[in-house]
């Protein structure tokens, strides 16, 4: 599935995050004792959160190529 605008990811720890251009990318981590393998993008300029990315659809997802 392609990424879509959502309310936001649940709180987490032990995740990976990177800032690139005007966006923060967050991958995985843990919520309570549950491991996560999800991928999130927060666009600071648009103030929007996208989710649902994986290594198959990341490059072609809407709003990603214009980063």
């Amino acid at each position: 599935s392609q990424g879509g605008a959502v309310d936001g990811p649940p709180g987490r720890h032990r995740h990976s995050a990177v800032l690139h251009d005007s966006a923060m990318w967050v991958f995985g981590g843990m919520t309570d004792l549950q491991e996560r393998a999800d991928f999130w993008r927060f666009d600071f300029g648009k103030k929007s959160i996208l989710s649902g990315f994986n290594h198959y659809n990341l490059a072609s997802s809407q709003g990603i190529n214009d980063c």
Side-chain angles (χ1 to χ4, degrees), residues 5-31:
V6 295
D7 291 331
R12 61 189 62 210
H13 62 280
R14 300 184 60 117
H15 58 280
S16 296
V18 64
L19 296 174
H20 178 68
D21 290 334
S22 63
M24 178 187 298
W25 298 80
V26 177
F27 175 75
M30 295 187 76
T31 300

Side-chain angles (χ1 to χ4, degrees), residues 22 41-49 63 66:
S22 63
R41 175 180 180 255
F42 177 75
D43 186 309
F44 290 103
K46 297 177 184 176
K47 296 186 178 162
S48 65
I49 296 175
D66 62 355

Side-chain angles (χ1 to χ4, degrees), residues 18-64:
V18 64
L19 296 174
H20 178 68
D21 290 334
S22 63
M24 178 187 298
W25 298 80
V26 177
F27 175 75
M30 295 187 76
T31 300
D32 297 321
L33 296 176
Q34 179 183 4
E35 290 185 9
R36 301 198 169 267
D38 51 352
F39 202 48
W40 296 82
R41 175 180 180 255
F42 177 75
D43 186 309
F44 290 103
K46 297 177 184 176
K47 296 186 178 162
S48 65
I49 296 175
L50 299 177
S51 72
F53 300 106
N54 61 43
H55 64 280
Y56 297 110
N57 68 14
L58 181 60
S60 63
S61 293
Q62 180 179 7
I64 298 304

